[in-house]
Amino acid sequence: MIAFVIMMTGSRAVAAPTPTPTPPAPATSDAGNTVEPAPPGSIRWSVQPAGANGPDGRKEFSYRDLAPGTVVHDYVAVTNFSQMPVTFTIYAADARNGNGGVLQLQPAAEKPTDMGSWVALLKTSVTLKPNERVNEPFTLTVPASATPGDHTGGILASIGVEESGATGPVKVDRRLGVPMYLRVTGPLTAGVAVQSVSAGYRGTYNPLGGGSADVTLIVRNTGNVRLNLSPEISVNGLYWVKVAGTDPQALPSLLPGSTVQFTVHLDGVYPLGPMTVKVRVTPSQITSLGLPAAPNTPAAVEGEAFMWATPWMVILLLILGTGAFFLVRWLRRSRRGRQQRVVADAVAKARKETVEELKQKALAAKAAAGSST
C-alpha cells in the first residue's frame, strides 16, 4: 500500500516560497495516529478513506461484487498538517503497472478511461487552513458497459510546486493517494502468458570465474483478475547442465490486460558457448481483500531464449598456451639442430685433420723409401 500511496513523495512535500515562521502547533491526531506538525515552510498532508465524520480506519477503498449500473457513495478525507494554508487538487485516476511491475496511478495530465473515470467528486480543489481536514464526498458509478473482474484506480490530493531544474524552473506535481479496488460481477478467468524472453551475456576477465547475464521477459495478464507472479530463471549449458539460476522477487498485483517487462540479473554464469535460458512464471490469485478466487486455477507458464556465452579469456589462454607450446618445441628443435651441426662440423674437421695427417705420414714414408735406394 505504501508503494501505491504515491508517488513522488512520502508523507511530506516541500513548498516553494517559505512564509514567515510561526510557532509550532501541537501534535495532531489523524485517525488515531499522532502526527507531528510540519516544520515551517514545508507541507505535510494525508489522504484517507473516510465517512461523513472523518477517517474510518480503512487502508484503501475496496468494493466487490458490484453489478454494472451500481452507484456507490463514499468519502475521502484530506488533512493539512502544514503551518500554512494549502490548496489541494483532488482527482481520481486509473492504476497501471509501471517499470518492473510497480503499481502506480497515471499522471494528472492523462485522462482516465477505466475506474478513474467512474468517480465524480463534488469538488476538484480545496484550500485547507493549518491542521484543517475536509471529508470530501464522491460518487462511484459502475457503467453498464463495465467488464467483469477487477478494476483498480485511486483518489489523489496533489499540490504543484516549482523547483529548479537543469534548464530552469520546473513545476512538480507532488501527490498522495489512496488505492481503489473494485470487482464487477460476472464470469472470472485467471491466466498469464509469457510473450517474450531475451538474454544477454557479459563476460569477465577471470578465466576461472563466471560472467553475468541479464534476462528480460515480458508477461501479460490474459485474465480479468489481479495476479501475483513468482518467476524462476535458470541458465543451462550443453546437455542441459544447469549453470546458474535464481528466484527473483515476486511481482505483486499484475492488473488484468496489463503487460509488464522486467529484467533479472544473474551472476556466476560460466561461459559454455551455446546456452539456453529457461523462464517459469507461476501466478497466484489475490484474495486478501475478501475477494473470491476465479474458478480456474491459473497455470504456470514457461518461455526460453538462446544465449551465446563465448569464453574469450579461456580461448585466449588456449591460443597463448598453444603458441607457447609450439614456440618451445621450435626452440628445442632449433637448439638440437645447432648442436647437431656443431657435432657434424667437429666430426668433419677431425676427419679432415686425420686424412691430412695420414697423407703427411704417407709422403714421409715414401720419401724415406726413396732416399734409402
Side-chain angles (χ1 to χ4, degrees), residues 274-288:
M275 310 179 80
T276 302
V277 179
K278 293 187 68 66
V279 174
R280 179 181 176 88
V281 179
T282 303
S284 59
Q285 299 191 53
I286 298 174
T287 58
S288 58

Side-chain angles (χ1 to χ4, degrees), residues 12 38 62 101 111 122 194 280:
R12 180 180 301 179
S62 178
K111 186 177 180 180
L122 188 63
V194 176
R280 179 181 176 88

Side-chain angles (χ1 to χ4, degrees), residues 4 93-95 105 115-116 151-155 178-182:
F4 204 111
D94 294 338
L105 295 177
M115 188 176 180
H151 300 263
T152 308
I155 294 183
V178 182
M180 305 180 72
Y181 302 105
L182 184 149

Side-chain angles (χ1 to χ4, degrees), residues 29-105:
S29 176
D30 182 40
N33 298 320
T34 300
V35 180
E36 292 295 329
S42 65
I43 299 175
R44 180 182 293 159
W45 75 102
S46 69
V47 185
Q48 300 167 283
N53 298 320
D56 54 14
R58 288 179 291 172
K59 302 298 182 183
E60 69 282 318
F61 295 104
S62 178
Y63 314 103
R64 63 188 183 95
D65 298 331
L66 297 185
T70 302
V71 178
V72 177
H73 300 279
D74 211 333
Y75 292 84
V76 59
V78 180
T79 308
N80 178 21
F81 296 107
S82 312
Q83 298 184 36
M84 57 184 172
V86 180
T87 299
F88 297 97
T89 300
I90 307 175
Y91 61 96
D94 294 338
R96 64 188 181 190
N97 293 106
N99 295 333
V102 176
L103 201 61
Q104 57 186 210
L105 295 177

